[in-house]
Amino acid sequence: MQDRPLTLDGFVERAERLSPRKEIVTATVGGVERVTHGEWADRTRRLAAALDTLGVSADGRVATFAWNTARHLELYFAAPCSGRVLHTLNIRLFPEQVTYIVNHAQDEVIFVDRSLLGLLAPLVPTFTTVRHLVVMEDGAPVTDLDGLDGVELLDHEALLAAEQPAEFRIDDELRAASMCYTSGTTGNPKGVVYTHRSTYLHTMAAMFTDSVGVSESDTILPVVPMFHANAWGLAHAGVAAGSTLVMPGPNMVPAALAGLIESERVTLAAGVPTIWMGVLPELAGRDTSALRVIPCGGSAVPKALSEAYRAQVGLPILQAWGMTETSPVASVANVVSWLADGSDEELADLRATQGRPLVGVQLRIADQATGEELPWDGTSRGELQAAGPWITASYHDDPRSPESFTDDGWLRTGDVAVITPDGYVRIVDRTKDVVKSGGEWISSVELENEIMAHPAVAEAAVIGVPHPKWSERPLACVVVAPDAELTADELIEFLDGRVAKWWLPDDVVFIDEVPKTSVGKFSKKDLRDRFADHVLPTAGD
Ligand code: AMP
């Protein structure tokens, strides 16, 4: 067989040769902008030439601080296909974390959306390696900003206009293509570097029918940010397959997203659970008939949410599991043929799992004390570990690396899971989120799932709080749905019988909102800080 490298330049070539008339649509403040794949590929090549003109090193880091747009997608390919490394900065990290990751990655240039420049500007003086700032105009007003005195702002369009399209040729498939930092809430973020090969293979995996099955006929709405774990591979897959891409831009409010799903006849819309919680009511009364799949992950998809979509939209949510470290998609919860005739309840339970490993990914669970592999019996709980060609082998230039890998090179995910005999992974918790009650574990994820099944509950998170006798007991932090009423007693009564008696929360607090992390997950750390001194009514028992 021919030994051809698996590199991303081939995807750009496909866009210009095989799908030049297909569109990339971007929602902007001034309305919807459309470019064809052909125009996009030409711009991408000219952007790569501009990186040469700017003097960005042959393997230099090219950072983005941007929403999901067609321009951001140019950078997704212009950087790696010219040998550089794309570094997508998470716009919602704490300022000191942004400084840390820009300096740690040694970014040479940052491409920033005009609407985000105000957020970035005060940090610019803290960057040690950045030589250029390039502004991508998105209709936001131009204002003077602190932090930019004496800094020349380059204009993305002017750079492109001055260039001829570059030729792409990457010979080494193991060359770095992009990098992302984890959005972890403790310590500095850790960097993961993806190669052309890992990205190529992950892109192919996004096209498997048994994954999300991206195809040419799809119209893809990646609500998941392009700075969060490669937009789950959908941006790459959309280009490779020749799909229509619909980029939501800065306006991420549920009504705008629901509007795009209807007006652009979106077939595949992907985002974290909190997004789909907000969008569901906005979809009421709209034509969603084009939708065929709603991939969702990043945190556990509540069964009640998936079922609510099935009831209203006619389509349950398709749960996937992964991490920044796993490119990110590692498992997807499609229903296998031999279980497909299960009851509605059984199928909903299957879809509430994190799914089965994709071809190319190996998953196992290991005893946390001994490291021994545990059986796939649906009850043995252990740390989930992953191996495969799109699973990271280390963190970028980070002394914390070794503790995250086993002696035989598997990634220790920090998730606690069971695996069923059919190969379905069920995440029980993050290692640090399980409630450790009297030597036994209570799964905060499972408890939240049951609480969120109550119709009066909008959101709920469970944390362990200190208990004098049991070491920790569960505290339910609950957001009541608008116009609904709920008491702690009513909730406990509802849970009684749905979970083991000793799992019932010792207390329920009602809060206005569950705090979210930079990528829209429930921030248990914030809740733990807030309720660190909470005295449980059972503390004296
Ligand atoms: P990130 O690197 O930000 O994507 O975070 C990865 C972590 O998100 C995983 O280790 C899990 O703890 C969590 N996660 C991702 N997908 C799911 C899912 N479908 N269900 C539960 N947790 C998930």
Side-chain angles (χ1 to χ4, degrees):
M1 289 297 117
Q2 299 182 4
D3 182 12
R4 295 295 174 116
L6 306 179
T7 55
L8 301 183
D9 38 346
F11 293 165
V12 179
E13 212 168 283
R14 284 188 68 86
E16 56 205 355
R17 291 240 169 143
L18 291 164
S19 52
R21 292 194 303 275
K22 295 297 293 287
E23 282 184 332
I24 301 163
V25 181
T26 304
T28 74
V29 282
V32 160
E33 281 175 7
R34 297 172 193 276
V35 294
T36 65
H37 283 216
E39 290 160 347
W40 166 85
D42 175 71
R43 289 172 58 87
T44 300
R45 289 184 182 280
R46 285 189 287 132
L47 181 57
L51 296 176
D52 295 338
T53 305
L54 288 177
V56 178
S57 318
D59 62 352
R61 260 68 75 204
V62 174
T64 59
F65 197 75
W67 303 107
N68 290 12
T69 67
R71 286 197 185 92
H72 202 167
L73 190 66
E74 293 166 13
L75 284 146
Y76 252 57
F77 287 85
C81 294
S82 66
R84 279 104 183 179
V85 184
L86 174 80
H87 176 198
T88 49
L89 301 170
N90 180 340
I91 62 170
R92 302 201 184 96
L93 286 182
F94 292 120
E96 53 280 11
Q97 291 183 321
V98 176
T99 298
Y100 172 83
I101 67 175
V102 168
N103 293 339
H104 188 261
Q106 300 184 305
D107 295 335
E108 295 183 21
V109 51
I110 304 180
F111 285 75
V112 50
D113 281 337
R114 171 68 70 182
S115 57
L116 294 171
L117 191 55
L119 206 54
L120 191 71
L123 305 181
V124 171
T126 67
F127 300 153
T128 53
T129 54
V130 176
R131 288 185 282 124
H132 305 286
L133 276 186
V134 182
V135 178
M136 300 186 280
E137 296 298 344
D138 61 4
V142 178
T143 48
D144 286 338
L145 295 165
D146 289 343
L148 296 182
D149 291 344
V151 176
E152 184 191 6
L153 293 180
L154 302 170
D155 175 57
H156 184 88
E157 291 300 324
L159 291 185
L160 289 196
E163 301 292 345
Q164 293 300 314
E167 291 292 322
F168 289 154
R169 184 169 172 164
I170 302 294
D171 291 323
D172 180 5
E173 64 179 15
L174 296 180
R175 196 179 174 107
S178 65
M179 65 192 303
C180 261
Y181 281 73
T182 57
S183 56
T185 44
T186 45
N188 278 322
K190 294 187 268 190
V192 176
V193 178
Y194 311 94
T195 62
H196 279 261
R197 175 187 157 87
S198 71
T199 310
Y200 192 105
L201 291 171
H202 184 255
T203 305
M204 304 286 270
M207 295 186 221
F208 296 162
T209 310
D210 286 338
S211 135
V212 297
V214 167
S215 88
E216 182 279 323
S217 56
D218 271 317
T219 296
I220 305 173
L221 175 70
V223 181
V224 49
M226 291 171 80
F227 57 74
H228 181 203
N230 305 303
W232 298 351
L234 295 170
H236 291 108
V239 170
S243 322
T244 302
L245 277 156
V246 179
M247 299 301 200
N251 189 3
M252 299 281 281
V253 301
L257 298 173
L260 283 175
I261 288 172
E262 181 174 41
S263 64
E264 297 299 327
R265 298 201 54 73
V266 167
T267 63
L268 184 164
V272 294
T274 45
I275 290 286
W276 298 128
M277 287 176 198
V279 167
L280 184 62
E282 297 293 340
L283 288 175
R286 291 186 190 267
D287 176 3
T288 55
S289 57
L291 270 178
R292 71 163 186 88
V293 62
I294 308 173
C296 183
S299 46
V301 178
K303 189 163 88 176
L305 180 68
S306 188
E307 286 297 280
Y309 269 80
R310 194 165 71 88
Q312 186 185 313
V313 180
L315 206 59
I317 284 175
L318 178 61
Q319 177 152 205
W321 172 87
M323 311 170 71
T324 303
E325 291 84 337
T326 63
S327 289
V329 186
S331 66
V332 180
N334 283 299
V335 174
V336 288
S337 57
W338 65 89
L339 298 176
D341 58 1
S343 66
D344 283 356
E345 187 64 20
E346 285 164 346
L347 297 185
D349 283 339
L350 270 188
R351 290 189 292 255
T353 71
Q354 280 62 31
R356 298 177 5 118
L358 295 179
V359 175
V361 174
Q362 287 176 282
L363 298 177
R364 69 182 183 195
I365 41 175
D367 185 285
Q368 286 187 287
T370 64
E372 229 164 276
E373 191 174 348
L374 295 170
W376 293 16
D377 57 11
T379 53
S380 302
R381 297 168 172 219
E383 181 183 50
L384 186 63
Q385 301 179 345
W390 60 86
I391 312 295
T392 196
S394 66
Y395 290 105
H396 175 58
D397 191 16
D398 200 309
R400 294 168 292 181
S401 239
E403 69 211 41
S404 298
F405 297 88
T406 62
D407 290 345
D408 57 349
W410 289 54
L411 171 73
R412 303 182 57 185
T413 65
D415 286 335
V416 181
V418 303
I419 305 182
T420 71
D422 295 303
Y424 284 87
V425 173
R426 194 157 49 77
I427 303 276
V428 177
D429 235 323
R430 289 292 294 166
T431 323
K432 56 185 188 311
D433 291 340
V434 280
V435 182
K436 298 179 188 77
S437 172
E440 298 285 346
W441 286 0
I442 297 174
S443 158
S444 67
V445 173
E446 286 173 38
L447 208 41
E448 285 159 10
N449 235 321
E450 296 302 338
I451 297 172
M452 285 194 269
H454 192 291
V457 174
E459 288 181 339
V462 171
I463 54 169
V465 293
H467 188 284
K469 179 167 172 195
W470 301 108
S471 127
E472 271 185 354
R473 289 293 302 158
L475 172 70
C477 308
V478 173
V479 182
V480 178
D483 304 326
E485 282 181 21
L486 182 67
T487 64
D489 287 346
E490 282 165 355
L491 182 62
I492 300 294
E493 201 174 308
F494 172 80
L495 292 174
D496 203 359
R498 290 180 158 245
V499 299
K501 270 248 183 295
W502 63 278
W503 278 37
L504 290 173
D506 283 28
D507 204 0
V508 179
V509 289
F510 293 98
I511 55 178
D512 292 339
E513 194 189 347
V514 177
K516 310 285 187 317
T517 70
S518 63
V519 288
K521 305 181 191 202
F522 289 173
S523 177
K524 301 258 179 100
K525 180 180 178 294
D526 284 347
L527 283 176
R528 274 193 290 265
D529 290 348
R530 181 167 159 194
F531 293 107
D533 300 325
H534 185 81
V535 180
L536 293 169
T538 53
D541 296 353

